[in-house]
């Protein structure tokens, strides 16, 4: 697997570690599907875990937890996101998370990792090639 161009191998390893640590703090009593995310923005790292709720629809994904932390700290240019899940298969961010990530980093790198290593690395546009933006909001007749 190639290293995303923004990152040294050591920096990527740090983000993976951070995401694994966040995954350990996931609150997933309903699905038992624990996710950890670590986001690099402005040279700073932010992490997040999925937080479920007895009212299932209120669950927040790990990626969005990390994204909210970064934006709340004033960082709006996302560079790299590492997502750590369990098992042997990579698990990309869900569609809702991809749309939220696109708001702050159309060109960002998304790295999918598991308990024992990195599965693959993608550009956000590969995972969400036609993100919604308000640029298309107004047509000529409005
Ligand atoms: N989940 C994430 O944290 N990220 C995703 O991109 C997809 C799903 C969480 C939500 C829920 O707690 C569990 O995984 C099962 O859907």
């Amino acid at each position: 697997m190639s290293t995303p161009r923004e990152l040294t191998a050591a920096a990527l390893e740090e983000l993976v570690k951070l995401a694994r640590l966040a995954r350990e703090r996931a609150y997933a009593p309903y699905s038992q599907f624990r996710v950890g995310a670590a986001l690099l923005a402005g040279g700073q790292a932010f992490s997040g875990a999925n937080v479920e709720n007895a009212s299932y629809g209120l669950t927040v994904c790990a990626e969005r937890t990390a994204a909210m932390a970064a934006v709340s700290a004033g960082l709006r240019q996302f560079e790299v996101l590492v997502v750590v899940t369990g098992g042997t298969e990579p698990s990309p961010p869900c569609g809702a998370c991809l749309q939220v990530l696109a708001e702050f980093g159309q060109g960002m790198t998304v790295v999918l990792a598991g308990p024992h290593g990195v599965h693959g690395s993608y550009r956000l546009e590969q995972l969400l090639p036609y993100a919604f933006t308000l640029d298309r909001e107004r047509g000529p007749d409005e």
Side-chain angles (χ1 to χ4, degrees), residues 70-90:
V71 176
S72 300
L75 283 308
R76 297 179 179 176
Q77 196 64 55
F78 296 174
E79 289 141 18
V80 181
L81 173 79
V82 174
V83 182
V84 170
T85 49
T88 53
E89 292 297 312

Side-chain angles (χ1 to χ4, degrees), residues 31 33 35 50 52 59 61-63 92-94 97:
S31 72
F33 191 85
V35 186
N50 53 329
E52 298 188 345
T59 291
C61 294
E63 297 88 330
C94 75
C97 287

Side-chain angles (χ1 to χ4, degrees), residues 44-65:
Q44 295 183 52
F46 300 88
S47 64
N50 53 329
V51 181
E52 298 188 345
N53 192 274
S55 178
Y56 294 173
L58 300 184
T59 291
V60 182
C61 294
E63 297 88 330
R64 273 179 288 153
T65 308

